[in-house]
Amino acid sequence: MRKNMIGAAIVAVLVVIFFVNLSGDKMAVEVKKDKGNEQQSAVQKGQATEAADFTLKSLTGEEVTLSSLRGKIVIVNLWATWCPPCRQEMPHMQKFYEKHQEEVEILAVNLTSEDYGTEKVAEFVSEFGLTFPVLLDQTGEIGKLYEVYTIPTSYIIDKEGMIFQKIIGPMDEEYMEQLITALNETEK
C-alpha cells in the first residue's frame, strides 16, 4: 500500500515537471477555421492568423462570443480543475486580470467535457476567487478547434482578433506582463 502511494506521488511530480517544461514552447499558430465544409489546421511560425470565433456560456449562464471582444487583447486559456499546472497558473491570472482588466480580457475556457462537471468548476472558481469570465466547453468542440492536447494551453489574441502567440503550459504573472508588452510593441 505504501509503495503504491509513493509510486503515485512520483508519477504526479513527473507529470507536473513535464507540464512546466512544456511552457517553453511558445509560437504563433494557426488554429482550425471553418472554410465552407472543410477544416484547416496548420502551425505557421511568424504568420498572423485570425483566431477561430466561438460562443460559449459562462459559469453564470451568460453567452460570450470571442469576436465581440475586438478592440481588447484577449487571453483564451483552456484548462481543467484536475490539472495541477492549471491550479498553479490561476492565482497569477487573477492578479494579472486585476491589474489589466481595462485593456486585457481573460476567457478561461474550462474543458468541461473532460472535467468533473460544472459544480467542480464553480468550486474551483470560488476557491481561487476568480473574477474573469469562466466559459464552459461542454462538448469539447473548442478544445478540438484550438488543438488542445496539453493543458493549460493559452492563446494571446490581439485587438484585431489575430493570434499573437500560443503558450503550452502554465504562465505566471511576469510572463503575461512580458507577452502583453511584446504585443503592444508590435502594434505600434
Side-chain angles (χ1 to χ4, degrees):
M1 177 77 166
R2 185 164 173 83
K3 286 182 182 179
N4 287 343
M5 289 174 41
I6 292 171
I10 290 170
V11 169
V13 168
L14 291 174
V15 167
V16 169
I17 290 169
F18 173 77
F19 283 113
V20 169
N21 284 335
L22 284 176
S23 66
D25 182 16
K26 301 163 183 78
M27 66 181 122
V29 300
E30 179 177 356
V31 297
K32 293 179 183 178
K33 298 189 301 184
D34 282 323
K35 299 250 181 169
N37 290 330
E38 71 184 59
Q39 291 280 333
Q40 292 189 355
S41 173
V43 175
Q44 309 264 337
K45 286 191 178 186
Q47 198 171 43
T49 303
E50 187 173 359
D53 200 17
F54 61 82
T55 300
L56 289 173
K57 285 193 177 183
S58 72
L59 194 54
T60 61
E62 174 188 356
E63 282 195 351
V64 177
T65 301
L66 177 62
S67 61
S68 72
L69 299 171
R70 295 261 166 91
K72 280 183 106 168
I73 296 170
V74 179
I75 298 174
V76 176
N77 176 261
L78 298 111
W79 64 283
T81 62
W82 50 262
C83 162
C86 300
R87 295 182 69 79
Q88 171 192 356
E89 176 179 64
M90 285 299 174
H92 294 280
M93 293 187 89
Q94 181 59 37
K95 285 182 185 175
F96 178 84
Y97 184 70
E98 288 169 5
K99 287 183 189 174
H100 299 283
Q101 61 187 307
E102 295 301 317
E103 68 266 12
V104 179
E105 187 64 72
I106 294 177
L107 298 180
V109 178
N110 175 263
L111 301 172
T112 315
S113 64
E114 304 295 323
D115 212 333
Y116 298 119
T118 56
E119 282 184 33
K120 288 289 184 189
V121 176
E123 289 171 16
F124 186 97
V125 168
S126 178
E127 176 184 346
F128 287 97
L130 304 179
T131 58
F132 45 80
V134 175
L135 308 179
L136 305 172
D137 181 11
Q138 302 222 25
T139 64
E141 181 180 335
I142 306 308
K144 288 177 189 166
L145 185 66
Y146 276 80
E147 297 179 335
V148 176
Y149 305 113
T150 302
I151 55 174
T153 293
S154 297
Y155 285 83
I156 311 302
I157 301 169
D158 72 15
K159 294 175 183 177
E160 284 77 43
M162 304 301 282
I163 295 172
F164 174 70
Q165 196 147 15
K166 176 181 181 180
I167 298 90
I168 299 172
M171 299 183 291
D172 62 18
E173 185 179 357
E174 181 181 339
Y175 185 61
M176 286 183 266
E177 295 279 358
Q178 291 171 0
L179 286 168
I180 300 310
T181 298
L183 175 55
N184 284 330
E185 289 297 317
T186 63
E187 291 182 341
K188 288 183 180 179

